[in-house]
Amino acid sequence: MATVTTNRGAGFLLGRLDVEQQMTPEKLTAEQRMLRDTVRKFVDAEILPRMDELETLDIGLARELLQKTGELGLCMIDVPEEYEGLGLDFVSSIQGSEILSLGGGFLTAFSVQTGIGLMPMLYFGSDELKRKFLPGMASVELVSAYALTEAGSGSDALGAKTTADLSEDGESWVLNGTKQFITNGGFADVFTVFAQVDGRQFTAFLVERDTPGFTVGPEEHKLGIKSSSTTSLSFEDCRIPKGNIIGEVGQGGKIAVNVLNLGRLKLGISAIGSAKEALEVSVRYALERKQFGRAIAEFGMIREKIAEMASRIYAGESSMLRTSGNVQEAMHAGDEAGGASANSAMRTALREFNVECALEKVHGSEVQAYCVDEAIQIHGGYGFIEEYKVARTYRDARISRIYEGTNEINRMQIAGDVLKRAGKGALDMDAALSEAPGSEISDQFGALCDIAEQVDRTRAVARGIIKMIVEQSGGEGAKRGGDQELLQRLADIIIAIYALESAMGRAVQARRAGDTNADEFEAMTRVYAAGVAPGVRRNARETVALLTADGADEAAASEIAALAEPPAVNAIALRRVVAEAIIEREGRWFDC
Amino acid sequence: MKIVVTIKQTFTTEAKIAVDGGAISDKGIKQIVNPYDEFAVEQAIKIKESGGAEEVVVLTIGPERAGEALRQCLAMGADAAFRVWDDSLAAPGAWDVYATVLAGALEKMKPWELLLAGWVAVDDNAAIVVQRAAETLGIPQVLVVNKLDVGDGKVTAVREMDGYREVVEAPLPALVTADKALNTPRYPTLPNIMKAKRKPLTVWTLEDIGVTAGSAGFTRTGLALPPAKTGAKIVEGEPEEAAVALADLLHTEAKVI
């Protein structure tokens, strides 16, 4: 099984990871680490002390703090220097997204400002529009928002009803319709609004707040992220300049999908940041809280939760950095191309990694969900009391599995896109199952050769299933797109492969570099591997059961089932080792 | 006017300290600029920003990783940085040796008018190195300062004492060490972090500064964590009864009275 190059989306399904080129948190530059420190100091000094005010939705304060992130330069990272940004690398731009997660709902405002609020303009706007608006968006003199969702179209985003028609004199676009659940709505200055031209050509526009005919609705009362502004928007014969179109007529769907890709990756990263906080708070509590005369951190069930939280965070963090490094490399290639082709190469880079971005969103938000849930459980009754910070962390986490595409939609994208690529021959699955998983694994994986073999086997399971589906649908992988249950199971297997391989690759690199955390990285990789194996087995068996009932080859099916059998490991002992390490450092194990 | 700030890279105050083989383990330990030194750096930059100085230079003794602490000071606004290192300096606690080296480097960096530093480093709590160097250089020193004015060739500093306040004047050049009420250190903005990459950071060997370190006048013979705290006892009840119970415990259990 050949090693793959990184600049191919979904390439991890074709062959083994080239460990050395995998980006890891340990490879951050001195500047990136300093940036993390700056953001952390900002959170501690400016956001956390004012959390109560922010939670009552003090819009003036939210705007003021968002503008302070602008002064720190956090919103100009992705903006090129010619538009008064810093034009830095993508890995730098994710640092703020992770650490601001400690600020709860404030993160949401920031994420829109630097993510979906900015990117349509950045990657698709005309030079004229960019000169007019990008410098302000980068410095946060202009707060931005992204208006896609409507009452009747959430996941089905392209089914939006808002319309845009060219005025009779041909000088303006006239917008009519209503948008819903728009983050930053209460105080944004510029809005990227999606509307149908001629009733069917989905298109993006830039609308300024003070435009006549444009009104902002009241604030929604939400379950969590209460410090973020969420409103409806309405357009009644709202007239905007003809030049305020972003991209071209009919390009809206492409814009919406592409910018959501990076938004999803950043959301996954933020979710891991929030999970780290949940772990740290929980371990500290468990060390203080005494029951039966002992700190509850001494009890096996609590320790097992701590080990599981840490290992999932470790795997999530490893995979986020791997994807970010790959996206950065592809973007850099785009930069090299220069000029107009740079933008198109950039857009290609965004599209190329849509499988990875979607899986980071799903995995990150589910690691977060697990961690904030166990954080409450470790706190017991106190976790249910608002006075303790975990209650807010728990409420704030719930939206992660819903926005930027529900995890259901994202799972459809992961599996659907892989099947589409395989159907077109872009992902060659023919070699699937022909090579024995685990063959020719040398010392490249150090002490983790058995994990490398488990990754191989799981990859062979996914490839086998993909091949079966493609064959069954006559080469058109997308045809089984209607089988959502099948796509969900395939997506989960794919996520397990990617996250486990990333965890492993990071541990292998740490060992080679003599990193003092290498022992713990290896232990957490093993815990994570033990944790995902039963799910892979169940998903594989249920999938091939459906496929064979529909006529797939039974011999191939039983081969897949055999490959999906979990390796025998002493998972309890592994978790004890990890728990000990995390508790030893009082939960401050991951940098955040 | 040129201001020199001496800084030290230390572990974070939140770090969980472990002793391994007679030294503090660096496993999982994050290194930062000594927090008191940050006050000194901030003060120097403020003086420069208000027109009271033309140049702010930071100086440290430390291995390569200490360069990151210097970069942070450059990102805060210092203009140039110097790092002195020789592997012979790795011996723990050799404060007298460090003072000699620091004095040598400060001699080489002349002319400067004001020397700033944190009043103590949070790792070894020694508060001795820069003070000894100032003594070697023969300049006045005003220590643990909460307010500082510089002008007319002198410093005017306020020191908070127990129950009163002392105002001290000293002619320049002088050493002033910072306490935490002096200011609130800024955190570097991203544009400044990127600019700091291009600012000069010079590395000196002992030869470069013309110093022979010599050997320390003392040796550290042991390093141990403080004993784990044993359970405290809270005496409850009405004040009068509690006082009696407490006296009793101090006599019979703790055996101190």
Side-chain angles (χ1 to χ4, degrees):
Chain A
M1 201 180 269
T3 301
V4 289
T5 49
T6 56
N7 52 4
R8 284 284 311 280
F12 63 95
L13 290 171
L14 292 178
R16 282 178 197 148
L17 167 70
D18 175 3
V19 169
E20 282 302 318
Q21 56 69 37
Q22 177 193 355
M23 180 65 194
T24 68
E26 289 68 49
K27 288 180 175 170
L28 292 180
T29 63
E31 288 74 31
Q32 285 160 348
R33 287 200 300 273
M34 215 186 290
L35 168 60
R36 292 176 72 83
D37 286 344
T38 279
V39 181
R40 180 64 208 239
K41 286 174 184 167
F42 171 73
V43 169
D44 288 341
E46 308 271 1
I47 298 183
L48 297 183
R50 300 159 97 174
M51 210 60 207
D52 289 345
E53 295 159 76
L54 279 168
E55 287 278 287
T56 59
L57 202 53
D58 180 339
I59 282 181
L61 179 61
R63 189 184 170 98
E64 181 194 323
L65 289 176
L66 194 57
Q67 284 178 329
K68 280 196 177 168
T69 67
E71 286 164 25
L72 289 175
L74 302 184
C75 301
M76 48 178 70
I77 296 175
D78 297 317
V79 178
E81 286 174 280
E82 57 176 314
Y83 301 109
E84 297 174 36
L86 290 169
L88 293 178
D89 53 283
F90 183 70
V91 173
S92 293
S93 95
I94 64 173
Q95 306 306 324
S97 304
E98 181 183 342
I99 295 178
L100 283 168
S101 65
L102 308 179
F106 180 75
L107 169 78
T108 308
F110 176 82
S111 297
V112 169
Q113 181 71 22
T114 55
I116 54 179
L118 176 76
M119 287 188 283
M121 178 66 79
L122 184 60
Y123 296 124
F124 297 89
S126 65
D127 181 59
E128 194 189 337
L129 271 187
K130 285 203 260 195
R131 285 196 190 288
K132 190 170 173 195
F133 292 105
L134 267 187
M137 291 160 96
S139 67
V140 201
E141 278 155 65
L142 294 177
V143 173
S144 61
Y146 176 89
L148 177 63
T149 298
E150 296 182 8
S153 59
S155 292
D156 177 22
L158 304 190
K161 299 272 192 305
T162 298
T163 59
D165 302 295
L166 210 51
S167 62
E168 281 172 13
D169 61 6
E171 291 303 309
S172 322
W173 292 101
V174 183
L175 271 60
N176 280 290
T178 307
K179 294 287 175 182
Q180 187 173 265
F181 301 155
I182 307 307
T183 302
N184 289 354
F187 58 95
D189 304 292
V190 286
F191 298 76
T192 299
V193 178
F194 292 86
Q196 309 280 4
V197 174
D198 299 334
R200 59 193 165 78
Q201 288 185 289
F202 204 51
T203 308
F205 299 92
L206 187 96
V207 179
E208 292 183 77
R209 189 180 191 90
D210 54 10
T211 310
F214 172 51
T215 49
V216 174
E219 291 289 345
E220 302 286 356
H221 297 286
K222 303 190 291 290
L223 172 72
I225 56 167
K226 288 173 186 279
S227 55
S228 71
S229 163
T230 310
T231 68
S232 60
L233 310 175
S234 73
F235 305 89
E236 280 174 63
D237 292 330
C238 171
R239 207 174 264 265
I240 59 169
K242 194 182 169 191
N244 277 19
I245 182 168
I246 299 175
E248 291 161 22
V249 170
Q251 251 192 346
K254 193 169 139 191
I255 295 172
V257 168
N258 281 331
V259 306
L260 277 174
N261 272 338
L262 284 193
R264 284 167 181 171
L265 175 54
K266 285 189 174 176
L267 190 146
I269 287 157
S270 302
I272 294 295
S274 151
K276 287 179 185 177
E277 186 196 19
L279 172 67
E280 184 182 329
V281 172
S282 303
V283 173
R284 290 222 304 258
Y285 180 83
L287 282 165
E288 279 169 21
R289 173 73 174 166
K290 290 203 167 57
Q291 289 291 278
F292 311 106
R294 291 159 72 193
I296 63 169
E298 291 176 35
F299 297 131
M301 281 194 209
I302 301 292
R303 292 174 89 85
E304 191 156 32
K305 290 181 199 302
I306 288 167
E308 196 56 34
M309 288 163 87
S311 302
R312 292 188 195 190
I313 290 167
Y314 166 75
E317 182 181 61
S318 307
S319 102
M320 297 296 164
L321 264 286
R322 175 184 179 186
T323 303
S324 302
N326 289 347
V327 166
Q328 173 168 309
E329 201 174 298
M331 283 181 161
H332 184 66
D335 271 344
E336 301 268 284
S341 57
N343 250 352
S344 107
M346 204 75 91
R347 294 198 291 258
T348 308
L350 297 188
R351 202 166 51 239
E352 181 68 22
F353 292 100
N354 59 358
V355 171
E356 285 84 350
C357 291
L359 79 82
E360 298 297 15
K361 195 270 175 185
V362 173
H363 187 240
S365 62
E366 291 179 4
V367 168
Q368 178 189 27
Y370 173 78
C371 291
V372 298
D373 187 71
E374 291 291 34
I376 296 278
Q377 196 66 21
I378 290 171
H379 279 72
Y382 291 103
F384 209 66
I385 307 292
E386 283 289 342
E387 203 180 316
Y388 282 74
K389 198 160 95 176
V390 281
R392 176 178 64 73
T393 309
Y394 180 81
R395 281 190 278 106
D396 288 349
R398 190 60 187 88
I399 190 66
S400 297
R401 285 186 283 153
I402 298 170
Y403 64 6
E404 307 250 0
T406 60
N407 284 12
E408 288 73 16
I409 285 289
N410 275 288
R411 282 190 162 89
M412 299 274 287
Q413 174 155 347
I414 295 164
D417 201 80
V418 163
L419 287 173
K420 208 186 296 170
R421 288 181 194 223
K424 280 197 251 167
L427 282 178
D428 180 12
M429 291 296 147
D430 283 348
L433 303 178
S434 67
E435 274 179 273
S439 67
E440 288 168 43
I441 285 180
S442 61
D443 56 0
Q444 76 216 41
F445 298 107
L448 294 177
C449 288
D450 56 327
I451 301 294
E453 188 183 334
Q454 185 180 339
V455 174
D456 267 7
R457 291 168 71 97
T458 315
R459 185 163 26 229
V461 168
R463 288 160 62 106
I465 290 170
I466 293 164
K467 201 174 167 203
M468 250 180 197
I469 296 175
V470 171
E471 275 168 5
Q472 214 172 54
S473 51
E476 285 283 319
K479 268 191 188 164
R480 282 208 78 130
D483 288 345
Q484 290 201 347
E485 304 95 321
L486 203 101
L487 295 181
Q488 167 161 338
R489 284 163 176 75
L490 177 57
D492 283 342
I493 296 170
I494 290 171
I495 294 169
I497 296 164
Y498 192 75
L500 178 57
E501 188 175 53
S502 307
M504 174 192 73
R506 180 179 174 193
V508 170
Q509 290 190 70
R511 177 64 71 198
R512 281 185 200 162
D515 192 300
T516 56
N517 290 326
D519 287 346
E520 287 84 353
F521 285 179
E522 285 178 4
M524 287 192 279
T525 301
R526 291 184 181 286
V527 168
Y528 188 76
V532 295
V536 167
R537 177 181 190 267
R538 195 193 64 234
N539 283 321
R541 294 181 83 99
E542 290 178 2
T543 303
V544 294
L546 183 71
L547 289 169
T548 44
D550 289 354
D553 176 27
E554 287 194 22
S558 60
E559 202 171 341
I560 290 170
L563 282 165
E565 280 304 308
V569 289
N570 187 348
I572 296 172
L574 289 171
R575 291 198 183 96
R576 284 179 178 171
V577 170
V578 171
E580 182 60 31
I582 303 297
I583 292 168
E584 170 74 31
R585 267 186 241 166
E586 294 171 4
R588 283 187 215 99
W589 213 92
F590 295 96
D591 182 46
C592 195
Chain B
M1 189 171 92
K2 178 163 140 186
I3 304 175
V4 179
V5 188
T6 60
I7 67 147
K8 182 179 187 182
Q9 189 183 42
T10 65
F11 43 76
T12 57
T13 44
E14 291 173 346
K16 170 93 177 158
I17 303 300
V19 174
D20 184 15
I24 291 170
S25 164
D26 63 356
K27 187 171 158 68
I29 297 280
K30 194 171 160 187
Q31 302 284 340
I32 57 164
V33 176
N34 171 38
Y36 290 103
D37 295 341
E38 273 194 351
F39 297 116
V41 173
E42 175 66 30
Q43 195 65 23
I45 296 164
K46 273 190 162 163
I47 294 169
K48 185 187 166 188
E49 282 171 349
S50 63
E54 286 78 44
E55 195 185 2
V56 174
V57 178
V58 281
L59 167 67
T60 194
I61 300 173
E64 197 178 347
R65 66 156 196 243
E68 282 195 26
L70 290 175
R71 286 279 174 217
Q72 190 198 314
C73 300
L74 293 173
M76 286 172 75
D79 301 294
F82 294 85
R83 176 170 72 83
V84 186
W85 190 242
D86 183 277
D87 287 339
S88 69
L89 297 171
W95 299 310
D96 47 351
V97 176
Y98 273 55
T100 307
V101 173
L102 206 58
L106 288 164
E107 192 68 51
K108 188 179 165 82
M109 290 165 87
K110 280 183 175 174
W112 44 262
E113 286 73 32
L114 178 60
L115 176 59
L116 285 171
W119 81 267
V120 69
V122 295
D123 51 1
D124 61 19
N125 270 332
I128 194 168
V129 174
V130 72
Q131 294 83 346
R132 260 183 96 141
E135 200 57 31
T136 307
L137 294 166
I139 60 170
Q141 41 188 300
V142 189
L143 308 180
V144 201
V145 161
N146 274 332
K147 189 171 180 297
L148 179 66
D149 287 312
V150 183
D152 303 328
K154 64 177 188 202
V155 291
T156 309
V158 177
R159 307 178 67 235
E160 291 295 333
M161 312 301 286
D162 197 5
Y164 62 97
R165 176 175 295 171
E166 187 176 70
V167 182
V168 180
E169 265 186 25
L172 293 174
L175 164 68
V176 176
T177 65
D179 196 6
K180 59 173 168 251
L182 191 58
N183 53 50
T184 307
R186 69 196 67 192
Y187 26 88
T189 67
L190 184 53
N192 287 340
I193 289 171
M194 301 317 290
K195 273 185 212 146
K197 257 176 106 168
R198 295 191 289 271
K199 290 182 179 176
L201 194 164
T202 309
V203 181
W204 281 333
T205 60
L206 294 184
E207 202 170 275
D208 290 330
I209 56 171
V211 167
T212 313
S215 53
F218 53 87
T219 36
R220 185 165 80 191
T221 55
L223 181 71
L225 292 175
K229 283 180 198 153
T230 48
K233 191 170 271 182
I234 295 173
V235 182
E236 291 179 21
E238 291 300 310
E240 284 169 16
E241 294 163 18
V244 173
L246 178 63
D248 190 45
L249 284 171
L250 288 171
H251 182 63
T252 58
E253 207 165 282
K255 296 191 180 14
V256 290
I257 53 171

